[in-house]
Every structure is written in C-alpha cells, then in structure tokens.
Amino acid sequence: MQNNIVWHQATVTRERREQMNKHRAKLLWFTGLSGSGKSTLAHALEEELYQRGCRTYVFDGDNVRHGLCGDLGFSDADRTENIRRIAEMAKLFVDAGVISLTAFISPFREDRDRARGLFPHGDFIEVFVDCPLEVCESRDVKGLYKKARAGEIKDFTGISSPYEPPSKPEITIKTADREVADCVNEIISSLELRGVIANRVV
Ligand SMILES: Nc1ncnc2c1ncn2[C@@H]1O[C@H](COP(=O)(O)OS(=O)(=O)O)[C@@H](OP(=O)(O)O)[C@H]1O
Ligand SMILES: Nc1ncnc2c1ncn2[C@@H]1O[C@H](COP(=O)(O)OP(=O)(O)O)[C@@H](O)[C@H]1O
C-alpha cells in the first residue's frame, strides 16, 4: 500500500522548531474512564502551558469524533482505528513542534502501546487519569452512565466494555477528591522534571 512513496526531508526540522519555541515537543496521552477528568485536565493543563508561551494543541472527542473519526463507533475494532488515527495525527503535531495532548478513553493497552511505538523513546508520555468507576458514574457528566445502566447504550466502557489500565504510565493522576488545579500542578512539575518546559520562576 505504501509502495513508491518517498518521505520528503524538510529543512525546517522538528529540532529547529523546538529551538524557536523554546520548549520540547511531546505527546501527553491521557487515558481513563469516561468522566475520570481527561478533558478537564488536558484543557486546564493546556491553559497553563499557553500562559507560559508554549505551543499546544488538545485532541479530544469534540474535534476528532465529529470529523476525522466521524465514521467510527464504539466496537473494539472502531476504537482501535480511532486510536490509530489520533496517534498518527498527534505524531505530525509533535513533528511540528507542538506539545500535543490527547484525551481519549483509549481503553485497550495494545492500542496505546502501538501509539507509543510511533514515537521516539521519551516523547510519548502516558497520563493515567485514575478515578474509580463509582466516582465517574456519580459524576455522570453527560448522563451516559445512566443510559448505559439502562441498556440504552451498548459497549459502554466500564459497564459493558472493558477498560485496561496502563501497566507503566509515566504519570498517574488520581482525580477523586482532588482539585483540578492541584492535579495540573502535579503534571506541570513532572514536565519540568523531564525538561519538557522550563522550571517556574518563583
Ligand atoms: N459506548 C461508549 N463507550 C464509551 N464512551 C462513549 C460510548 N458512547 C459514547 N461515548 C462518549 O464518547 C466518548 C469516548 O470516545 P473516545 O474516542 O475517547 O473513545 S475510545 O478511546 O475510542 O474508546 C466519551 O467521552 P468522555 O466522557 O469524554 O470520555 C463518551 O462521552
Ligand atoms: N481533580 C479533578 N480532575 C479532573 N476533573 C475533575 C476533578 N475533580 C472533579 N472533576 C470533575 O469531573 C468531571 C470530569 O469530566 P471530563 O473532564 O469530561 O472527563 P472525561 O474527559 O474523562 O470524560 C468534570 O465535571 C470535572 O469538573
């Protein structure tokens, strides 16, 4: 399928873009149950990074499942394809020098590991948004758990479709009984430690 396709070597490389941006490009891959806090944290973190002058972009259901992945549902195969497309897109954004954040349930370990495999070592930072199902269900941000329990939505993650937690995530953030700002600070500190962004001036 990829016969006779030759990659064109850009003169404006990722390294040059990173120098201009004054920060490294990385992919922060948020994974967790529906309602665990992926979107909230990804956007709050993006806000903080933006205020520090970083180039960022958040991929989540709103800008992906309506367009690029609008043809996909929630069967295992469709979720796998969803994650494959998102990972390939995020790879291009990282190449463009952007700190990219993805907020998808991405329930299957194999799919996340395949996504990780697209990136040089250290560039794929898996963020496990760890929140018990009972808490996610009590939040029921979109009323979907109620529908899933009533059998109105099939293959719902955590209820009638599996979620495989990461075995070795770079970052684990527990969101039950914690302030969003507290969680964001923890991720920021981890990014500073990894040299992705400069330390805060206090
Ligand atoms: N069957 C089923 N299972 C899980 N989630 C469902 C389902 N149907 C719709 N939704 C809504 O779609 C959002 C999950 O989409 P994702 O693209 O993140 O899913 S996946 O990574 O491909 O598994 C998820 O959004 P979040 O709540 O933000 O996680 C749900 O609102
Ligand atoms: N520490 C926290 N981190 C993230 N979200 C939190 C936290 N505490 C409470 N919440 C709430 O939990 C809900 C998470 O929803 P959302 O971000 O849409 O989850 P997801 O994207 O994983 O489906 C939001 O209503 C958010 O305000």
Side-chain angles (χ1 to χ4, degrees), residues 12 23 38 42 55 60 76 136 141 157 191 195:
V12 181
H23 63 76
K38 303 178 298 294
R55 293 181 198 279
D60 71 13
D76 290 4
C136 296
V141 184
T157 307
L191 295 181

Side-chain angles (χ1 to χ4, degrees), residues 33-41 139 141 175 178-180 183:
L33 291 168
S34 175
S36 58
K38 303 178 298 294
S39 295
T40 301
L41 289 181
R139 289 176 178 164
V141 184
T175 64
R178 280 186 74 195
E179 296 294 326
V180 172
C183 297

Side-chain angles (χ1 to χ4, degrees), residues 131-187:
C131 188
L133 177 65
E134 312 80 72
V135 177
C136 296
E137 196 165 354
S138 69
R139 289 176 178 164
D140 209 4
V141 184
K142 300 170 187 164
L144 298 180
Y145 280 102
K146 194 163 172 228
K147 285 190 181 165
R149 288 286 184 199
E152 291 168 31
I153 304 178
K154 64 176 186 127
D155 300 331
F156 196 81
T157 307
I159 307 291
S160 43
S161 184
Y163 178 78
E164 300 169 359
S167 37
K168 269 186 159 186
E170 278 76 7
I171 301 175
T172 297
I173 295 288
K174 292 188 182 291
T175 64
D177 303 318
R178 280 186 74 195
E179 296 294 326
V180 172
D182 196 26
C183 297
V184 170
N185 280 337
E186 193 179 327
I187 303 173

